[in-house]
Amino acid sequence: MTDRPLTLMAVHAHPDDEATGTGGVLARYAAEGMRTVLVTCTDGACGDGPGGVKPGEPGHDPAAVASMRRQELEASCDVLKVSDLEMLDYADSGMMGWPGNDAPGSFWRTPVQEGAARLAELMRHYQPDVVVTYDENGFYGHPDHIQAHRITMAALEMTDLSPKVYWTTAPRSMMQRFGEVMREFHEDMPEPDPAEAAALAEIGLPDDQITTWVDTTGFSGQKFDALAAHASQGENIFFLKMGKERFGELMGIETFVRVQDTTGAAVPENDLFAGLR
């Protein structure tokens, strides 16, 4: 036996991803005495600038945006009681097809083995019992999310560690409910065109393919406040408009697919640390 605490490592692409996808489990497991390590791969410089100004528009200063988002990330980590924040500081690649994809130093352009070697070093240092990242499509096709998945899986192969490994996902039933709530808050929101609707319908997984359902309802207030720390990013405003109660109803369960396990814990499971404690 060892005195080393059980450790969760979440590998995310941008500042604010930690709050939307894993804010609940980070807060819950910190409260339960686990060490929680967040690795953020990019600087977030392709995010919104002051007033919602977008990359390439007048007034968007990537360096200033990156600095602002670093401060927001640190505030979010304080809210979620994250034990350790590690930033790889690759340049944000932007959405698929943006010029930033191929910019020098962009995360998307970085050789997978290079990023994986840096992450493997962190894994050896922290020796996580559980590792969480995105699936091979980065959940919705964002290049930096896809790259985070790639370097995480490659880093695991570089180490002799055997943690439980999970990919974030969402049940299709929740995605449908999410769409209904969005229309409730945006009555004038146009119906998506058929191609867009078909793409949206492919996000997430059928409920019966999800292995792990973690109840984080008791920590949804912290998750909401962590997201509020990233209020400079316009896509977060929708969540904040809900208020904490509605937010908790919609976002209080976090779901995952278990892709690596040596514990033999039965699935479906309700705890990322099932079989480890």
Side-chain angles (χ1 to χ4, degrees):
M1 297 294 289
T2 175
D3 292 332
R4 185 183 66 82
L6 288 170
T7 300
L8 165 66
M9 175 180 282
V11 183
H12 281 293
H14 312 98
D16 81 358
D17 290 333
E18 81 292 337
T20 51
T22 55
V25 292
L26 287 168
R28 171 180 164 169
Y29 291 123
E32 292 181 6
M34 278 63 158
R35 187 174 198 173
T36 52
V37 181
L38 171 63
V39 181
T40 300
C41 296
T42 79
D43 59 9
C46 287
D48 292 352
V53 63
K54 305 296 183 185
E57 295 179 348
H60 188 280
D61 179 346
V65 171
S67 176
M68 173 183 64
R69 298 195 73 185
R70 171 66 183 249
Q71 294 174 33
E72 291 179 336
L73 178 60
E74 291 173 350
S76 172
C77 287
D78 286 344
V79 169
L80 298 174
K81 309 300 182 188
V82 168
S83 308
D84 301 271
L85 170 62
E86 299 283 354
M87 294 195 71
L88 300 185
D89 270 332
Y90 289 107
D92 189 342
S93 311
M95 300 296 285
M96 192 67 81
W98 285 17
N101 294 178
D102 297 317
S106 75
F107 189 38
W108 183 240
R109 186 173 170 176
T110 298
V112 169
Q113 294 303 303
E114 176 187 320
R118 294 181 61 195
L119 182 57
E121 186 177 338
L122 294 174
M123 288 179 174
R124 294 186 192 101
H125 174 73
Y126 289 107
Q127 298 190 27
D129 302 280
V130 173
V131 173
V132 175
T133 192
Y134 315 99
D135 62 20
E136 57 266 78
N137 190 46
F139 185 58
Y140 68 98
H142 193 296
D144 287 333
H145 291 221
I146 294 170
Q147 189 76 330
H149 162 85
R150 290 173 176 170
I151 73 162
T152 301
M153 303 312 291
L156 287 163
E157 292 183 2
M158 292 179 177
T159 73
D160 58 1
L161 304 172
S162 55
K164 297 179 79 177
V165 180
Y166 294 89
W167 298 342
T168 58
T169 191
R172 295 266 169 83
S173 60
M174 190 276 279
M175 293 302 296
Q176 181 178 354
R177 175 66 181 138
F178 184 70
E180 293 168 356
V181 173
M182 284 192 72
R183 283 187 286 274
E184 177 185 332
F185 279 84
H186 299 281
E187 295 179 359
D188 58 346
M189 188 172 71
E191 289 293 326
D193 64 51
E196 184 180 349
L200 289 172
E202 293 300 313
I203 293 178
L205 289 173
D207 292 30
D208 61 1
Q209 292 183 25
I210 292 172
T211 64
T212 311
W213 305 68
V214 184
D215 185 354
T216 61
T217 307
F219 302 90
S220 59
Q222 276 176 266
K223 182 173 177 173
F224 182 94
D225 290 342
L227 202 57
H230 297 284
S232 72
Q233 300 309 297
E235 64 266 23
N236 296 329
I237 302 303
F238 163 71
F239 292 105
L240 303 178
K241 283 182 178 178
M242 292 185 199
K244 283 189 177 180
E245 184 174 349
R246 290 294 301 280
F247 180 84
E249 292 170 3
L250 188 66
M251 306 288 284
I253 304 291
E254 293 184 350
T255 51
F256 307 86
V257 174
R258 193 176 81 190
V259 296
Q260 179 175 301
D261 173 64
T262 58
T263 70
V267 293
E269 59 186 1
N270 59 12
D271 179 11
L272 298 179
F273 288 88
L276 294 170
R277 54 176 174 166

